[in-house]
């Protein structure tokens, strides 16, 4: 082949190779769409952008309420306030805010907040447009959460948390009040506790569950209180009396060991000298023997005091029993030759309100019938006594139940055997309210 033919062949071969390369290049898949490139953005960066957007929105909301935020000042929450009738309140200061009149808010009806509540300032936000104050509400009827006797507990479970702020109000809507309306000194006036109750009916019966407080409720934040079980069955002395701006009066009490705290002055306190219930109701002679049995701590529930059983022995013979039941009601049983011949039901003032007897021995259930529309009737705290009842394969001479056995209520039970040995326990949910 001459040189010219060789050159033409090489040229054609090169054209074929270039054509094939171009065809293969044309058949390659196209590049990924641009949207797939977003997968390379860090999730941390996306989260940061969202936080920045939310922060910007919150700052816009804050500026809409306050204008330019100048400073934030923490408040001394020992100062009590009330709110004006036309107070407007922000549920939240920054995001998702809602504005409404106070008397339309479900948690603070205006008709009662001046009687039942104190407000205390948590912090103040000063702005160029207006000044808003973060306030916390103190409900003196239903804020105590007891769990176990006889320790002290915080008034509200969320009281120490910033999230417990009730709302934000204008500075001019706060009206300063004195949380103590009156105070006076007493000269060790004798008192004792005659009862305590797990029920809570302030509107109908002017009643409050018994508490002992380290300060008068509503006078300062984070007031703590405990049950009064450790103050039962002893002499107390009042050294101070004070009334708060809700009109509730409290006594500062001491016992033989020293000061114990503030207790609400109510019908649950009796002025005078304390006498042990066995001495008041068992009528023991000097030669008689009285043996006391107390409910074990492991069988107690909530703040209620341990139930008690007093057995009176005369010439080594068991003749009488006194039970102090769950709600501190006394009941006396007359016993003759291993039979219960009489049952006397007493109220908290040692007055016999009902009696049943049979010289041959009681066999039918005996039950108190509280007067209609009375506190005991409303609370369903009738005492029920049964005789010769079997419990856990053992037969008991008598048993008494005080309160409502509903699992969401309060009640206590005492079983007394034929030799005077008592089995006691208490239960219910009302003591956690």
């Amino acid at each position: 082949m001459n040189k010219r033919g060789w050159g033409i062949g090489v040229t054609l071969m090169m054209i074929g190779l270039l054509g094939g390369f171009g065809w293969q290049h044309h058949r390659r898949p196209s590049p990924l769409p641009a949207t797939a490139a977003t997968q390379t953005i860090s999730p941390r960066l996306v989260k940061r952008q969202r936080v920045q957007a939310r922060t910007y929105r919150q700052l816009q909301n804050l500026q809409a309420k306050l204008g330019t935020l100048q400073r934030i000042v923490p408040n001394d929450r020992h100062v009590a306030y009330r709110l004006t009738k036309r107070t407007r309140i922000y549920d939240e200061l920054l995001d998702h805010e809602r504005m409404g009149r106070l008397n339309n808010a479900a948690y603070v009806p205006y008709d009662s907040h001046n009687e039942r509540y104190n407000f205390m300032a948590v912090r103040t936000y000063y702005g160029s447009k207006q000044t808003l104050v973060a306030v916390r509400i103190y409900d003196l009827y239903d804020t105590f959460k007891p769990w176990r006797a006889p320790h002290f507990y915080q008034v509200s479970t969320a009281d120490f948390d910033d999230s417990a702020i009730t709302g934000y109000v204008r500075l001019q809507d706060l009206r300063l009040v004195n949380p103590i309306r009156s105070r006076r000194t007493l000269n060790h006036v004798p008192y004792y506790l005659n009862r305590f109750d797990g029920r809570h009916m302030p509107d109908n019966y002017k009643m409050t569950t018994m508490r002992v407080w380290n300060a008068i409720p509503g006078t300062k934040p984070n007031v703590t209180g405990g049950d009064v079980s450790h103050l039962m069955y002893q002499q107390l002395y009042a050294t101070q009396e004070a009334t708060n701006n809700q009109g509730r009066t409290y006594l500062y009490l001491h016992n033989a060991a020293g000061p114990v705290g503030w207790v609400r002055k109510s019908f649950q306190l009796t002025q005078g000298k304390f006498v042990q219930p066995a001495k008041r109701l068992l009528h023991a002679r000097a030669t008689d023997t009285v043996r006391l049995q107390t409910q074990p701590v492991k069988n107690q529930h909530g703040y209620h005091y341990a139930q008690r059983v007093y057995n009176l022995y005369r010439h080594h013979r068991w003749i009488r029993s006194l039970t102090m039941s769950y709600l501190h009601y006394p009941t006396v049983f007359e016993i003759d030759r291993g039979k219960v011949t009489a049952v006397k039901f007493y109220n908290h003032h040692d007055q016999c309100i009902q009696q049943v007897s049979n010289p041959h021995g009681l066999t039918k259930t005996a039950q108190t019938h509280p007067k209609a529309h009375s506190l005991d009737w409303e609370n369903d705290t009738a005492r029920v006594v049964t005789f010769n009842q079997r419990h856990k394969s053992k037969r008991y001479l008598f048993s008494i139940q005080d309160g409502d056995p509903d699992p969401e209520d309060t009640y206590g039970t005492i079983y007394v055997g034929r030799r005077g040995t008592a089995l006691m326990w208490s239960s219910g949910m009302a003591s956690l309210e």
Side-chain angles (χ1 to χ4, degrees):
M1 182 180 293
N2 56 21
K3 294 181 178 180
R4 184 178 178 182
W6 175 259
I8 293 173
V10 172
T11 302
L12 291 174
M13 185 180 296
M14 292 295 295
I15 293 173
L17 290 172
L18 290 173
F21 177 79
W23 174 253
Q24 292 295 330
H25 180 72
H26 178 71
R27 292 186 61 186
R28 285 181 181 177
S30 60
L32 293 174
T35 57
T38 58
Q39 296 180 359
T40 62
I41 298 178
S42 171
R44 184 177 300 178
L45 179 60
V46 174
K47 183 178 180 180
R48 184 183 304 172
Q49 291 175 345
R50 290 175 179 173
V51 171
Q52 291 175 351
R54 184 167 61 250
T55 303
Y56 176 77
R57 185 172 67 253
Q58 291 175 347
L59 291 176
Q60 291 294 105
N61 292 333
L62 182 63
Q63 188 174 12
K65 300 182 187 72
L66 298 174
T68 303
L69 181 61
Q70 298 171 348
R71 59 195 175 104
I72 301 176
V73 177
N75 295 103
D76 180 5
R77 290 189 290 125
H78 290 72
V79 181
Y81 297 92
R82 284 182 176 172
L83 305 182
T84 62
K85 188 172 184 178
R86 297 185 177 274
T87 297
R88 291 181 176 271
I89 186 168
Y90 290 100
D91 289 346
E92 296 185 27
L93 184 59
L94 295 177
D95 214 6
H96 307 294
E97 71 278 9
R98 185 179 64 196
M99 199 171 183
R101 290 190 180 277
L102 183 64
N103 56 353
N104 292 329
Y107 47 82
V108 192
Y110 177 79
D111 295 338
S112 63
H113 88 257
N114 270 341
E115 300 175 0
R116 292 186 49 175
Y117 303 100
N118 279 352
F119 293 84
M120 294 185 184
V122 177
R123 63 181 65 90
T124 303
Y125 297 82
Y126 291 92
S128 60
K129 181 185 294 186
Q130 68 174 342
T131 298
L132 292 180
V133 181
V135 294
R136 187 169 299 169
I137 190 172
Y138 290 85
D139 183 348
L140 303 184
Y141 283 100
D142 191 23
T143 53
F144 181 76
K145 305 292 181 183
W147 288 100
R148 197 65 179 166
H151 303 293
F152 281 79
Y153 303 90
Q154 153 182 335
V155 173
S156 176
T157 54
D159 191 57
F160 291 92
D161 302 330
D162 289 343
S163 59
I165 292 174
T166 302
Y168 303 84
V169 300
R170 298 180 305 171
L171 181 63
Q172 56 267 36
D173 289 332
L174 290 176
R175 183 160 57 91
L176 184 66
V177 295
N178 186 356
I180 300 296
R181 183 181 299 174
S182 63
R183 186 193 294 264
R184 66 189 181 110
T185 302
L186 302 177
N187 187 19
H188 287 77
V189 179
Y191 280 93
Y192 63 90
L193 287 168
N194 62 62
R195 68 178 294 179
F196 62 103
D197 200 315
R199 289 296 188 138
H200 183 110
M201 307 180 65
D203 295 334
N204 298 335
Y205 295 97
K206 307 297 181 184
M207 172 185 172
T208 177
T209 307
M210 294 302 292
R211 297 282 182 262
V212 53
W213 306 91
N214 69 333
I216 299 174
T219 60
K220 68 177 186 178
N222 303 331
V223 174
T224 56
D227 66 273
V228 295
S229 63
H230 60 296
L231 302 179
M232 305 294 288
Y233 301 103
Q234 61 181 273
Q235 186 68 62
L236 303 171
Y237 299 93
T239 59
Q240 295 184 62
E241 180 179 290
T243 303
N244 66 4
N245 62 307
Q246 280 82 13
R248 311 185 104 194
T249 301
Y250 295 83
L251 297 174
Y252 191 66
L253 298 178
H254 293 243
N255 60 11
V260 295
W262 295 91
V263 175
R264 171 81 185 276
K265 186 179 181 181
S266 69
F267 63 88
Q268 295 167 307
L269 271 174
T270 298
Q271 183 176 341
K273 184 179 179 181
F274 173 74
V275 180
Q276 290 291 342
K279 187 175 181 179
R280 298 194 309 260
L281 299 173
L282 281 182
H283 308 293
R285 300 175 184 174
T287 56
D288 294 341
T289 301
V290 178
R291 295 175 184 172
L292 169 64
Q293 299 175 75
T294 305
Q295 180 180 349
V297 175
K298 64 179 181 180
N299 291 344
Q300 296 180 35
H301 181 80
Y303 58 81
H304 288 82
Y305 192 71
Q307 301 179 104
R308 290 186 168 196
V309 175
Y310 299 84
N311 289 337
L312 173 64
Y313 297 86
R314 181 168 296 167
H315 304 302
H316 307 287
R317 204 175 85 184
W318 180 27
I319 65 169
R320 196 171 296 133
S321 280
L322 165 64
T323 62
M324 302 297 296
S325 55
Y326 188 52
L327 297 179
H328 201 61
Y329 286 101
T331 307
V332 174
F333 299 82
E334 298 288 343
I335 301 168
D336 183 19
R337 297 179 178 86
K339 296 180 180 180
V340 180
T341 58
V343 178
K344 297 179 181 179
F345 297 97
Y346 291 84
N347 62 15
H348 292 103
H349 303 287
D350 298 337
Q351 298 169 338
C352 184
I353 57 175
Q354 189 174 333
Q355 178 178 351
V356 293
S357 61
N358 185 342
H360 302 291
L362 293 169
T363 57
K364 296 182 179 179
T365 300
Q367 180 176 352
T368 55
H369 299 285
K371 185 179 178 181
H373 307 295
S374 67
L375 181 63
D376 294 332
W377 179 82
E378 185 72 22
N379 289 350
D380 193 17
T381 55
R383 282 163 284 172
V384 180
V385 176
T386 55
F387 307 96
N388 302 314
Q389 184 177 4
R390 182 175 294 276
H391 174 70
K392 292 184 178 179
S393 72
K394 186 176 180 180
R395 188 171 294 278
Y396 290 87
L397 181 62
F398 67 87
S399 66
I400 178 170
Q401 180 176 284
D402 182 10
D404 188 352
D406 186 282
E408 294 187 357
D409 220 316
T410 57
Y411 70 97
T413 304
I414 300 175
Y415 283 92
V416 179
R418 296 186 176 276
R419 295 187 177 182
T421 304
L423 172 65
M424 296 171 273
W425 73 88
S426 51
S427 186
M429 292 299 296
S431 57
L432 300 182
E433 293 177 355

